[in-house]
Amino acid sequence: EDGKTFSGSGFGACTERVGKVILNTSVVGYQEMVTDPANTARLLVLTYPLIGNYGTAEKFNESKKVWAAGLIIKENSRIYSNWQAQSSFEAFARDNGLFVLEGIDTRTLAVHIRQKGEMLGIMAADCIPAKELSAKMDAFRSRPADSMLAHISVSKPTAVSSAKTGRKIAVLDVGITNSIIKQLQELGFSLTLLPYNTRPQDILQLKPHGLIISGGPEEDPGMEVVVDTARSLIGKMPIMGIASGHQAIARALGAKITRLKLGHRGVNYPMHNPGSQKGEITVQNHGLVVDAEAINKIKQIKITGYNLNDHSVEEIESRALHLIGVQYEPASPGFNQVNPAFIKFEKMIERSN
């Protein structure tokens, strides 16, 4: 939107795509990133220069489809090698309607975004004049934002894990990923995914031992419904919010949400737990954060995790209200170990029931 242009060659679904341009510094995980609902309508720039070198496989999808509006990379590997691979990344893009732009100087683009901040961009397959593309972005910006949650979330209550002895957990599906579901299954929870707009009274009628508000697209207009639901249920059952779900809980409590100039998107963000010498390396994918000053003014809420780079809020907790909120992603594709945040939530459920 500031007039900067980059030229390359496209493959996959080469149609015009408009969206916020974001960076991700991960070395691996390209398939997981484009199928993560949190990246809905985003033009995703991968800073690692070689993409597709280990191919793709259906088991690596984080959801039912590709959600990213487009992908921008330096080089698409013409060969791939991985014993689990089923097809090339180029075939994956073609089969899933993903527009990939390669041959881009992603290092220069990354520096530009770091200096200017995240902004709207447009990908086009033809040599269209910059003024015309700019006009199309202006038109896109002037239109009211549509909610994608009805497409992302389940359409009806769906049992995905029904352990006979496990605790019943309701999941408000704002865009839950398969990696999160697998970790919850490891804990033996009996899971039921609920549509994002499920009424609070309907959730209470299920009599779950706890509620998880999943992550998903941060700035979707449909999140207002999720905030209202969280406001009605806080204090009535143990609740855990993940990423945008964490922001929904904070907003329901009355806290303010602020925007980062450059989002935290990658797999190596350090987090510190106040009052201890312990730290964690976390996976993150967000451009908004809970305002620390605002959350500190709310009684019974404690900040239990800070980002070591910029001291932004990464985790909140209330033992009195039985809630936990984590801004980071408590799941890393390819790793089966259960994140400590989920174990903390399990213990919170045990104390409250």
Side-chain angles (χ1 to χ4, degrees):
E1 67 180 284
D2 68 343
K4 185 75 172 177
T5 60
F6 294 82
S7 297
S9 57
F11 62 87
C14 296
T15 58
E16 286 183 8
R17 302 291 174 88
V18 182
K20 182 173 285 188
V21 182
I22 62 172
L23 307 175
N24 195 295
T25 59
S26 301
V27 174
V28 296
Y30 45 81
Q31 184 179 341
E32 289 87 347
M33 283 184 268
V34 297
T35 56
D36 185 346
N39 290 325
T40 297
R42 298 293 190 245
L43 300 182
L44 181 60
V45 181
L46 302 184
T47 59
Y48 188 71
L50 186 62
I51 302 301
N53 53 334
Y54 58 85
T56 62
E58 187 176 353
K59 65 184 291 185
F60 299 134
N61 286 337
E62 284 291 0
S63 65
K64 59 187 177 184
K65 59 173 284 187
V66 164
W67 294 104
L71 188 68
I72 301 162
I73 64 176
K74 170 63 176 173
E75 181 183 349
N76 174 47
S77 178
R78 290 341 189 233
I79 60 172
Y80 63 92
S81 178
N82 180 353
W83 66 273
Q84 300 174 98
Q86 295 173 329
S87 66
S88 68
F89 180 61
E90 189 166 349
F92 172 85
R94 183 185 64 247
D95 295 341
N96 290 275
L98 175 64
F99 184 4
V100 182
L101 191 60
E102 72 160 326
I104 301 299
D105 184 353
T106 51
R107 180 165 54 180
T108 298
L109 176 53
V111 170
H112 185 73
I113 295 297
R114 286 183 187 278
Q115 292 175 341
K116 302 290 186 177
E118 295 177 350
M119 65 186 88
L120 200 65
I122 184 169
M123 290 171 61
D126 300 316
C127 296
I128 301 172
K131 286 185 178 180
E132 187 176 335
L133 294 175
S134 181
K136 291 183 178 185
M137 276 189 285
D138 290 339
F140 176 86
R141 192 185 296 107
S142 65
R143 292 196 298 267
D146 294 326
S147 175
M148 289 296 293
L149 294 189
H151 304 283
I152 293 171
S153 181
V154 291
S155 59
K156 59 182 180 180
T158 305
V160 294
S161 180
S162 54
K164 293 181 180 179
T165 57
R167 297 187 181 276
K168 294 194 301 181
I169 302 297
V171 179
L172 206 58
D173 181 15
V174 185
I176 194 166
T177 61
N178 291 333
S179 293
I180 296 291
I181 291 174
K182 288 176 183 176
Q183 288 202 55
L184 297 173
Q185 289 174 325
E186 284 290 320
L187 287 170
F189 288 151
S190 180
L191 305 176
T192 300
L193 303 185
L194 301 176
Y196 79 98
N197 56 356
T198 303
R199 298 181 304 171
Q201 56 266 39
D202 292 336
I203 296 175
L204 289 171
Q205 283 182 359
L206 294 174
K207 297 183 179 180
H209 293 96
L211 172 70
I212 290 177
I213 305 176
S214 78
E218 291 178 297
E219 299 175 79
D220 191 285
M223 288 302 296
E224 297 298 328
V225 176
V226 179
V227 172
D228 291 340
T229 300
R231 187 179 294 116
S232 298
L233 294 177
I234 287 174
K236 296 180 180 178
M237 66 175 68
I239 301 177
M240 179 178 184
I242 301 170
S244 58
H246 154 78
Q247 295 169 15
I249 287 175
R251 288 178 58 194
L253 291 165
K256 184 173 66 174
I257 305 297
T258 59
R259 186 181 303 278
L260 297 168
K261 178 182 178 182
L262 184 72
H264 299 165
R265 308 183 195 278
V267 296
N268 57 352
Y269 284 88
M271 187 187 81
H272 171 62
N273 298 302
S276 75
Q277 299 300 313
K278 186 178 179 180
E280 295 179 37
I281 299 298
T282 62
V283 179
Q284 298 192 19
N285 183 24
H286 62 96
L288 305 177
V289 290
V290 175
D291 184 77
E293 185 178 351
I295 203 72
N296 274 325
K297 293 179 180 178
I298 300 173
K299 293 180 180 180
Q300 300 178 316
I301 302 296
K302 182 180 180 182
I303 298 175
T304 53
Y306 287 100
N307 187 296
L308 271 177
N309 292 332
D310 59 12
H311 209 61
S312 58
V313 177
E314 293 291 351
E315 187 175 288
I316 61 174
E317 183 178 346
S318 173
R319 291 201 170 192
L321 297 175
H322 305 294
L323 67 81
I324 298 172
V326 294
Q327 181 60 76
Y328 56 92
E329 301 282 342
S332 181
F335 293 87
N336 296 321
Q337 185 176 358
V338 176
N339 190 280
F342 290 128
I343 296 174
K344 186 185 294 187
F345 183 57
E346 182 182 38
K347 292 179 179 179
M348 181 174 285
I349 291 173
E350 291 174 353
R351 289 195 300 268
S352 65
N353 288 282

